Amino acid sequence: MTPGAQVAAAIDILAAIDPGERPADDVAADYFRRRRYIGAKDRAHIAGHVYIVLRHRQALDWWARRHPVDIGPRSRLLAALVLAEGWRPEVITACCDGHRFRPAPLNEAEDRLVRGLATRTLRHPEMPRAVANDLPDWLEPYLERVFGRGLEREVAALNASALIDLRANLLKADRETARRALAAEGITAEPTPWSPVGLRLTERVPLGGLIAFKEGLVEVQDEGSQITALLADARPGMRVVDFCAGAGGKTLALAAGMANRGKLVACDVSARRLERAVRRLRRAGVSNAERRVLTSERDKWVKRHAGGFDRVLVDAPCLGTGTWRRNPGEKWRVTPEDLADLIVRQQQILRSAARLVRPGGRLVYATCSVLHEEDEAQAEAFLAAEPEFSVVPAACAWNETIGGPSPGGDRYLRLTPARHGTDGFFVAIFERQPCPTAS
C-alpha cells in the first residue's frame, strides 16, 4: 500500500471507532479481517496511525480548535501526522490527492491546519493539565488523588505503547527453555524483572506463526497479570476458582501453578468469553480446568459451592485505566456514570465470590485500574462488611510466592507502568478465619 492508502485506511478505522460503541481493538480487527489482502507491514503502519490519534486525542483536538477546521477522525489524523509523526505539509498534501485509494485532497481549512502546525510541537504551555496529559477532563482529579505531583510521569507511561510480555507455560517449559525456543526462531526475549516466569520481547512480532506459541510453551500475558496469578498462590491439589475468568489468561497461569493437579473452575457471565478460552487451554495442555457460565455473581452455583475452595481470584471488571498503553481508545469511552456503576458492581462481585472461600482459604481481589475508588477503597469496604476476613499483607504474600521484598506496597500491591514497567494493577489478598479448633 502507498502511504496515502495507509492514511485513508486509518481514517476509516478511526471513523468506525469514533461513536464509542465498540473497543478500538475490535473495530481494527474487524477491518483487517475483511481485508485480508492488507499485509502485516501495512497493518502495522495503519495501526500506528490509529493508535497515535487515540493516545493523543485531547491534545490534537486542542490544536484543531485553534484552527477553523471540523474536528473528527480526519482532522485528528492530519494533525497527528504533523505533530506526532513529523510529516511535512507537502508530503501530506501529496498523499491526500484522492487517487488510488488515497484520501480526498485537503480542503482550505485542512491545508491551513497542517501548515499552521508545521512549526509546532504536540504540547503547548497554555494547554490545561488534562489536555497536556491526554486525559478525559473528568478523570484528572481521580488520577491527581493517586499520583499527586507524579501525575505527569505516570500518565506519560500510561500513554506510551507497551512491549509484548509472554509467560512461560510451566506445564511445558521453564522460562529458560521457552527463551531458547524463541531464540531458535530468531526472537529475542529478556526475562521480566518481577515475574519469575515472564519474558519480554524486544520488538513486536506476529506471534501466531511461532512454533513456541503454537506448541503452548508461551502465552501472551502482561507481567502485572502474571504477578496477580502468582500471588494467588494456587498450589497442586487445591480447589481454585477464577471468578471473572474472561478469555482465561489468569486461568492458564493458575493451572500452571497447580501443575494440572487439583480442581480449577473458570467462571464468567459471558459464554462467548469463556468459549474463547477453550483453544488456549488446549494449546497450553491444561487438563484440570472446567468452565462455568454464571447468570450473575449471585448464581445458584455459588451458593451450592459455598466454603468449598482454597483460593478464589476475583479479577473484577473495572474502568481499565491501567491498560491504556494497550487500549488507549478506552479512556475516551468511559464516563463518570460507568465508574459509579462499576464501584457498586465490584463490591457485589467481591462479596458474593467470598462465599466460595473455605475457612483458612484466600480471596484475591485484583483490578487493572489505578483509581483509588476501584482499588484500596473497595478493599477497605469489603473488610468493613466481612469481618470473617482479614488482610494478608501483599509484602508477605510476595515473599511467600515470588521471594524478596514487594516492589509495590506492603498492605496492598499497586503496580504502574512508570514505576514497574507493567500495566497498572492492584491486588488485595484476604484470608478467611480458620474454624476454631476444639479444646
Side-chain angles (χ1 to χ4, degrees):
M1 297 174 71
T2 65
Q6 294 168 354
V7 169
I11 292 171
D12 288 344
I13 294 173
L14 287 167
I17 291 169
D18 211 39
E21 297 170 356
R22 300 170 60 211
D25 277 359
D26 288 354
V27 172
D30 281 352
Y31 183 91
F32 292 130
R33 194 177 299 115
R34 293 176 181 144
R35 297 163 178 83
R36 296 190 181 276
Y37 57 85
I38 299 178
K41 290 184 179 180
D42 288 320
R43 287 198 299 272
H45 283 295
I46 295 165
H49 293 321
V50 169
Y51 281 92
I52 281 178
V53 170
L54 294 179
R55 292 185 200 286
H56 302 300
R57 201 179 86 174
Q58 269 273 55
L60 296 172
D61 284 1
W62 187 87
W63 279 113
R65 282 192 291 270
R66 290 188 154 211
H67 295 76
V69 65
D70 292 335
I71 296 176
R74 180 174 160 106
S75 62
R76 286 171 182 147
L77 184 50
L78 292 174
L81 291 175
V82 181
L83 295 170
E85 300 195 50
W87 285 34
R88 299 189 307 277
E90 59 269 24
V91 174
I92 296 174
T93 300
C95 284
C96 299
D97 60 5
H99 296 156
R100 294 190 60 80
F101 314 111
R102 295 193 286 268
L106 304 185
N107 60 36
E108 186 176 338
E110 291 169 341
D111 184 68
R112 283 198 302 269
L113 173 70
V114 297
R115 295 189 184 282
L117 296 179
T119 58
R120 302 289 190 173
T121 59
L122 186 61
R123 307 299 172 205
H124 190 281
E126 294 179 10
M127 285 179 171
R129 195 179 192 191
V131 174
N133 287 281
D134 285 302
L135 298 172
D137 294 335
W138 73 271
L139 266 177
E140 183 193 340
Y142 291 92
L143 294 168
E144 166 74 28
R145 178 178 182 182
V146 175
F147 297 130
R149 293 181 180 179
L151 183 144
E152 276 74 14
R153 175 172 174 262
E154 293 286 352
V155 173
L158 283 167
N159 281 334
S161 60
L163 297 173
I164 296 176
D165 287 351
L166 305 177
R167 177 181 53 80
N169 176 17
L170 297 184
L171 296 175
K172 295 191 174 187
D174 61 21
R175 176 160 70 173
E176 181 56 24
T177 301
R179 190 193 67 77
R180 288 198 302 265
L182 290 166
E185 299 187 69
I187 306 301
T188 302
E190 302 294 340
T192 49
W194 310 113
S195 168
V197 293
L199 291 166
R200 182 161 293 156
L201 302 188
T202 57
E203 60 182 347
R204 290 189 166 273
V205 297
L207 294 171
L210 298 180
I211 296 172
F213 181 77
K214 290 179 180 178
E215 293 185 350
L217 274 64
V218 293
E219 283 287 337
V220 179
Q221 187 175 29
D222 179 78
E223 186 182 17
S225 181
Q226 295 178 35
I227 288 168
T228 300
L230 289 167
L231 292 180
D233 194 22
R235 304 175 191 173
M238 281 185 170
R239 292 171 56 83
V240 179
V241 173
D242 185 358
F243 199 67
C244 304
K250 293 183 182 66
T251 304
L252 294 166
L254 293 169
M258 298 169 72
N260 259 344
R261 299 198 298 274
K263 182 182 180 66
L264 175 57
V265 184
C267 300
D268 204 274
V269 295
S270 170
R272 182 179 63 84
R273 283 197 295 265
L274 282 179
E275 188 61 32
R276 287 166 54 194
V278 173
R279 182 182 298 179
R280 300 179 73 187
L281 292 165
R282 187 181 301 120
R283 183 177 61 233
V286 174
S287 61
N288 69 327
E290 66 177 60
R291 292 170 294 127
R292 171 69 56 177
V293 179
L294 305 179
T295 56
S296 73
E297 73 275 2
R298 299 196 64 80
D299 191 282
K300 292 180 180 179
W301 181 88
V302 178
K303 183 177 181 180
R304 290 198 302 269
H305 292 83
F309 291 89
D310 302 285
R311 300 286 188 267
V312 177
L313 171 61
V314 177
D315 183 11
C318 65
L319 217 60
T321 48
T323 68
W324 285 353
R325 298 189 305 167
R326 305 178 195 280
N327 304 302
E330 290 304 291
K331 61 184 169 182
W332 312 119
R333 297 179 69 224
V334 295
T335 66
E337 292 74 26
D338 292 331
L339 178 59
D341 290 344
L342 282 165
I343 288 171
V344 173
R345 190 177 174 203
Q346 287 159 355
Q347 197 63 208
Q348 291 172 340
I349 291 171
L350 184 57
R351 293 183 63 183
S352 184
R355 295 181 291 163
L356 293 166
V357 182
R358 68 163 177 80
R362 291 185 179 182
L363 172 67
V364 179
Y365 173 73
T367 73
C368 54
S369 172
V370 298
L371 301 188
H372 173 83
E373 290 74 10
E374 296 187 283
D375 296 343
E376 292 89 351
Q378 292 290 33
E380 295 300 324
F382 173 77
L383 289 168
E386 300 287 347
E388 284 186 67
F389 286 85
S390 59
V391 169
V392 177
C396 295
W398 186 286
N399 190 51
E400 291 171 0
T401 56
I402 298 173
S406 163
D410 293 330
R411 182 173 175 84
Y412 306 123
L413 181 75
R414 176 182 282 279
L415 302 174
T416 73
R419 298 174 201 172
H420 307 101
T422 68
D423 284 350
F425 267 93
F426 173 84
V427 182
I429 305 164
F430 311 103
E431 186 168 282
R432 190 170 214 149
Q433 293 176 2
C435 291
T437 56
S439 57

